[in-house]
Amino acid sequence: MEIKEETRAGVKVIGLRGRLDAQTSPTAEKRLMDFADLSEQKLVFDFSEVTFVSSGGLALLLKVAKNVQKANGKLALAGLNNYVHEVFEIAGFTGIFSIFPACEEAVAHLQRGLRCEDKA
């Protein structure tokens, strides 16, 4: 799993590339938790280059989301392909995360200062 970061209008966009599974989750966890632990952080995880997410990857995302919430941050996901989105739906994660078709929409959502529960 490759992880890159950039900042767009005060929102940190974390680009993920590859598979998020049991093999890659331990390495990804350290980097993602570093972002999640920063107070008041606004994060978008860009999934446009993620090809696979396992239950281990979902568990990691849930852990990151909890840390973001504890740090009074905000988190949104963007660019999930059909397969990855279906995994999120089956796991019931579409009701937990704010999910947007593109990064630009997720960034705009977080710029408006909305919490994940206030999706519209």
Side-chain angles (χ1 to χ4, degrees), residues 20-21 25 29 32-33 53-66 88 91 93 97:
L20 187 56
D21 56 24
S25 286
E29 180 173 1
L32 298 181
M33 292 304 282
V53 175
S54 72
S55 59
L58 291 173
L60 170 59
L61 290 172
L62 194 56
K63 183 176 180 179
V64 169
K66 286 181 181 181
F88 274 72
F93 277 37
F97 291 96

Side-chain angles (χ1 to χ4, degrees), residues 100-118:
F100 298 88
C103 274
E104 295 75 22
E105 294 171 77
V107 168
H109 172 79
L110 294 181
Q111 282 179 312
R112 291 191 306 262
L114 299 175
R115 288 215 163 284
C116 291
E117 304 82 50
D118 305 326

Side-chain angles (χ1 to χ4, degrees), residues 11-28:
V11 176
K12 182 130 350 232
V13 177
I14 311 302
L16 307 170
R17 182 178 188 186
R19 298 170 58 94
L20 187 56
D21 56 24
Q23 187 174 14
T24 61
S25 286
T27 304

Side-chain angles (χ1 to χ4, degrees), residues 64-100:
V64 169
K66 286 181 181 181
N67 278 32
V68 168
Q69 187 176 29
K70 283 180 193 174
N72 290 321
K74 296 171 183 64
L75 174 66
L77 310 180
L80 283 68
N81 67 35
N82 290 337
Y83 171 76
V84 172
H85 195 275
E86 185 175 337
V87 170
F88 274 72
E89 284 180 342
I90 291 168
F93 277 37
T94 54
I96 297 172
F97 291 96
S98 293
I99 301 174
F100 298 88

